[in-house]
Amino acid sequence: MENLEGLLKQAPDLIMTYGLKILFALVIFFVGKYFAGVAQKVVHKLLNSRKVDPTVVSFVANLSWAVVFVFTIIATLGQIGVQTASLVAVIGAAGLAVGLALQGSLSNFASGVLMVLFRPCRVGDYIEAAGIAGTVDEITIFSTKLRTPDNKVIVAPNSSIMNGTITNYSASENRRIDLVICVSYSADLAQTKKVLTEILDNNQYVLKEPGYTVGLSELASSSINFVVRPWVKTADYWTARFEILEQIKNALDAADIEIPFPQMDIHVKQLPESK
């Protein structure tokens, strides 16, 4: 009974002491949460105004929100009397244990951060990486979504992409087409070269600069091989390649220049009859 009366007498002081702490803690929490949202919006707007890649904008904006919010939680717990130093140590130990258990996911996360920072490829680029090729649809923190030319969607872990060779076919504005055209040994070399150069001179996709190359590259076993190397816009690569090949075939046929089949000459030697 006496203990209850003592608690009742101390109640106003306890309410004043802990009530104010809880009130200030709530104020810190909601104000901090508000400023976390403000920080996210400001960073998002600032990076967009500088025309930064959308993937980078989203990642940095979310990271700024997370940093401010974590500091808000720590400040809130400190206000109500929780020993934040011990809490940070516990969180660190738990984070280490979780990190060891999720090494694969953390590797993908780290690779995603590197892809966002160094940007070996961007959304819309056509790349070849991790044994697959396609157009980059989306780069997230853990994976990259590629769309193949036949419209299949492939989701590849970021670590598999960053740990291998990345071939970015869209990185440059122009791209060279490499063709090998085989003609018969009976073909006139000067005429053949003239036919090939006229096709490139008149093709709508071939760029005037840096120019093209047409040259005799090899005297092969059954054909004479010319290299044809025009430069085109990267966006026109496949259209130009298909059109140039068709024009070369039609032009060589019209000029009676033979495109030989693979062939082999066999000489039969008759041995003299034994006596």
Side-chain angles (χ1 to χ4, degrees), residues 12 40 43 45 101 109 123 126 137 152 155 218 264:
Q40 183 182 26
V43 171
K45 185 176 181 180
F109 173 80
V123 173
Y126 186 84
D137 269 359
K152 291 186 293 188
V155 179
E218 184 182 8
M264 178 183 296

PDB file of all heavy atoms in Angstrom, residues 12 40 43 45 101 109 123 126 137 152 155 218 264:
ATOM      1  N   PRO A  12       3.370  12.471 -11.134  1.00  0.00           N
ATOM      2  CA  PRO A  12       3.511  13.721 -11.897  1.00  0.00           C
ATOM      3  C   PRO A  12       4.938  13.944 -12.387  1.00  0.00           C
ATOM      4  O   PRO A  12       5.148  14.370 -13.544  1.00  0.00           O
ATOM      5  CB  PRO A  12       3.085  14.791 -10.888  1.00  0.00           C
ATOM      6  CG  PRO A  12       2.184  14.075  -9.952  1.00  0.00           C
ATOM      7  CD  PRO A  12       2.761  12.702  -9.815  1.00  0.00           C
ATOM      8  N   GLN A  40      15.149  13.526 -50.388  1.00  0.00           N
ATOM      9  CA  GLN A  40      14.971  12.671 -51.563  1.00  0.00           C
ATOM     10  C   GLN A  40      14.468  13.483 -52.761  1.00  0.00           C
ATOM     11  O   GLN A  40      14.974  13.351 -53.878  1.00  0.00           O
ATOM     12  CB  GLN A  40      13.980  11.557 -51.237  1.00  0.00           C
ATOM     13  CG  GLN A  40      13.768  10.563 -52.376  1.00  0.00           C
ATOM     14  CD  GLN A  40      12.740   9.504 -52.016  1.00  0.00           C
ATOM     15  OE1 GLN A  40      11.862   9.735 -51.192  1.00  0.00           O
ATOM     16  NE2 GLN A  40      12.851   8.343 -52.629  1.00  0.00           N
ATOM     17  N   VAL A  43      17.300  15.980 -54.042  1.00  0.00           N
ATOM     18  CA  VAL A  43      18.336  15.272 -54.808  1.00  0.00           C
ATOM     19  C   VAL A  43      17.792  14.843 -56.165  1.00  0.00           C
ATOM     20  O   VAL A  43      18.462  14.975 -57.194  1.00  0.00           O
ATOM     21  CB  VAL A  43      18.846  14.052 -54.016  1.00  0.00           C
ATOM     22  CG1 VAL A  43      19.752  13.188 -54.880  1.00  0.00           C
ATOM     23  CG2 VAL A  43      19.596  14.511 -52.777  1.00  0.00           C
ATOM     24  N   LYS A  45      15.343  16.211 -57.915  1.00  0.00           N
ATOM     25  CA  LYS A  45      15.167  17.381 -58.774  1.00  0.00           C
ATOM     26  C   LYS A  45      16.502  17.938 -59.248  1.00  0.00           C
ATOM     27  O   LYS A  45      16.651  18.334 -60.408  1.00  0.00           O
ATOM     28  CB  LYS A  45      14.394  18.456 -57.999  1.00  0.00           C
ATOM     29  CG  LYS A  45      14.036  19.680 -58.828  1.00  0.00           C
ATOM     30  CD  LYS A  45      13.186  20.648 -58.023  1.00  0.00           C
ATOM     31  CE  LYS A  45      12.818  21.868 -58.862  1.00  0.00           C
ATOM     32  NZ  LYS A  45      11.984  22.822 -58.079  1.00  0.00           N
ATOM     33  N   ALA A 101      25.606 -14.496 -44.786  1.00  0.00           N
ATOM     34  CA  ALA A 101      24.575 -15.403 -45.278  1.00  0.00           C
ATOM     35  C   ALA A 101      24.079 -15.011 -46.673  1.00  0.00           C
ATOM     36  O   ALA A 101      23.562 -15.847 -47.406  1.00  0.00           O
ATOM     37  CB  ALA A 101      23.392 -15.425 -44.304  1.00  0.00           C
ATOM     38  N   PHE A 109      24.396  -6.576 -55.366  1.00  0.00           N
ATOM     39  CA  PHE A 109      24.176  -5.183 -54.954  1.00  0.00           C
ATOM     40  C   PHE A 109      25.395  -4.331 -55.280  1.00  0.00           C
ATOM     41  O   PHE A 109      25.279  -3.236 -55.839  1.00  0.00           O
ATOM     42  CB  PHE A 109      23.868  -5.126 -53.458  1.00  0.00           C
ATOM     43  CG  PHE A 109      23.789  -3.725 -52.917  1.00  0.00           C
ATOM     44  CD1 PHE A 109      22.650  -2.965 -53.098  1.00  0.00           C
ATOM     45  CD2 PHE A 109      24.856  -3.155 -52.235  1.00  0.00           C
ATOM     46  CE1 PHE A 109      22.569  -1.670 -52.610  1.00  0.00           C
ATOM     47  CE2 PHE A 109      24.787  -1.871 -51.744  1.00  0.00           C
ATOM     48  CZ  PHE A 109      23.640  -1.121 -51.926  1.00  0.00           C
ATOM     49  N   VAL A 123      20.218   2.190 -70.216  1.00  0.00           N
ATOM     50  CA  VAL A 123      18.929   1.720 -70.707  1.00  0.00           C
ATOM     51  C   VAL A 123      18.814   2.089 -72.189  1.00  0.00           C
ATOM     52  O   VAL A 123      19.055   3.221 -72.581  1.00  0.00           O
ATOM     53  CB  VAL A 123      17.777   2.348 -69.894  1.00  0.00           C
ATOM     54  CG1 VAL A 123      16.430   1.989 -70.513  1.00  0.00           C
ATOM     55  CG2 VAL A 123      17.834   1.884 -68.445  1.00  0.00           C
ATOM     56  N   TYR A 126      22.249  -1.814 -76.768  1.00  0.00           N
ATOM     57  CA  TYR A 126      22.296  -3.224 -77.158  1.00  0.00           C
ATOM     58  C   TYR A 126      23.660  -3.765 -76.766  1.00  0.00           C
ATOM     59  O   TYR A 126      24.688  -3.275 -77.249  1.00  0.00           O
ATOM     60  CB  TYR A 126      22.066  -3.390 -78.660  1.00  0.00           C
ATOM     61  CG  TYR A 126      21.961  -4.843 -79.092  1.00  0.00           C
ATOM     62  CD1 TYR A 126      20.750  -5.515 -79.000  1.00  0.00           C
ATOM     63  CD2 TYR A 126      23.074  -5.532 -79.570  1.00  0.00           C
ATOM     64  CE1 TYR A 126      20.643  -6.853 -79.380  1.00  0.00           C
ATOM     65  CE2 TYR A 126      22.971  -6.859 -79.951  1.00  0.00           C
ATOM     66  CZ  TYR A 126      21.755  -7.512 -79.855  1.00  0.00           C
ATOM     67  OH  TYR A 126      21.661  -8.830 -80.218  1.00  0.00           O
ATOM     68  N   ASP A 137      16.673  -3.094 -70.863  1.00  0.00           N
ATOM     69  CA  ASP A 137      15.369  -2.509 -70.529  1.00  0.00           C
ATOM     70  C   ASP A 137      15.399  -1.785 -69.184  1.00  0.00           C
ATOM     71  O   ASP A 137      14.781  -0.725 -69.024  1.00  0.00           O
ATOM     72  CB  ASP A 137      14.298  -3.599 -70.484  1.00  0.00           C
ATOM     73  CG  ASP A 137      13.626  -3.785 -71.835  1.00  0.00           C
ATOM     74  OD1 ASP A 137      13.986  -3.058 -72.770  1.00  0.00           O
ATOM     75  OD2 ASP A 137      12.745  -4.662 -71.950  1.00  0.00           O
ATOM     76  N   LYS A 152      12.350 -11.849 -76.202  1.00  0.00           N
ATOM     77  CA  LYS A 152      12.389 -12.566 -74.931  1.00  0.00           C
ATOM     78  C   LYS A 152      13.027 -11.664 -73.879  1.00  0.00           C
ATOM     79  O   LYS A 152      13.973 -10.924 -74.170  1.00  0.00           O
ATOM     80  CB  LYS A 152      13.190 -13.861 -75.069  1.00  0.00           C
ATOM     81  CG  LYS A 152      12.521 -14.919 -75.929  1.00  0.00           C
ATOM     82  CD  LYS A 152      13.298 -16.226 -75.914  1.00  0.00           C
ATOM     83  CE  LYS A 152      14.643 -16.077 -76.589  1.00  0.00           C
ATOM     84  NZ  LYS A 152      15.345 -17.375 -76.747  1.00  0.00           N
ATOM     85  N   VAL A 155      16.487 -11.789 -67.325  1.00  0.00           N
ATOM     86  CA  VAL A 155      16.928 -11.083 -66.122  1.00  0.00           C
ATOM     87  C   VAL A 155      18.231 -11.724 -65.662  1.00  0.00           C
ATOM     88  O   VAL A 155      18.253 -12.894 -65.276  1.00  0.00           O
ATOM     89  CB  VAL A 155      15.858 -11.145 -65.011  1.00  0.00           C
ATOM     90  CG1 VAL A 155      16.355 -10.413 -63.770  1.00  0.00           C
ATOM     91  CG2 VAL A 155      14.542 -10.539 -65.502  1.00  0.00           C
ATOM     92  N   GLU A 218      42.514 -11.937 -99.731  1.00  0.00           N
ATOM     93  CA  GLU A 218      43.033 -13.302 -99.675  1.00  0.00           C
ATOM     94  C   GLU A 218      42.855 -14.009-101.011  1.00  0.00           C
ATOM     95  O   GLU A 218      41.828 -13.864-101.682  1.00  0.00           O
ATOM     96  CB  GLU A 218      42.295 -14.093 -98.578  1.00  0.00           C
ATOM     97  CG  GLU A 218      42.822 -15.496 -98.365  1.00  0.00           C
ATOM     98  CD  GLU A 218      42.031 -16.253 -97.325  1.00  0.00           C
ATOM     99  OE1 GLU A 218      40.982 -15.738 -96.877  1.00  0.00           O
ATOM    100  OE2 GLU A 218      42.457 -17.375 -96.960  1.00  0.00           O
ATOM    101  N   MET A 264      36.905 -28.547-104.880  1.00  0.00           N
ATOM    102  CA  MET A 264      38.201 -29.213-104.737  1.00  0.00           C
ATOM    103  C   MET A 264      38.516 -29.939-106.047  1.00  0.00           C
ATOM    104  O   MET A 264      37.652 -30.622-106.606  1.00  0.00           O
ATOM    105  CB  MET A 264      38.157 -30.215-103.577  1.00  0.00           C
ATOM    106  CG  MET A 264      39.451 -30.990-103.369  1.00  0.00           C
ATOM    107  SD  MET A 264      39.280 -32.204-102.036  1.00  0.00           S
ATOM    108  CE  MET A 264      38.987 -31.124-100.630  1.00  0.00           C
TER     109      MET A 264
END
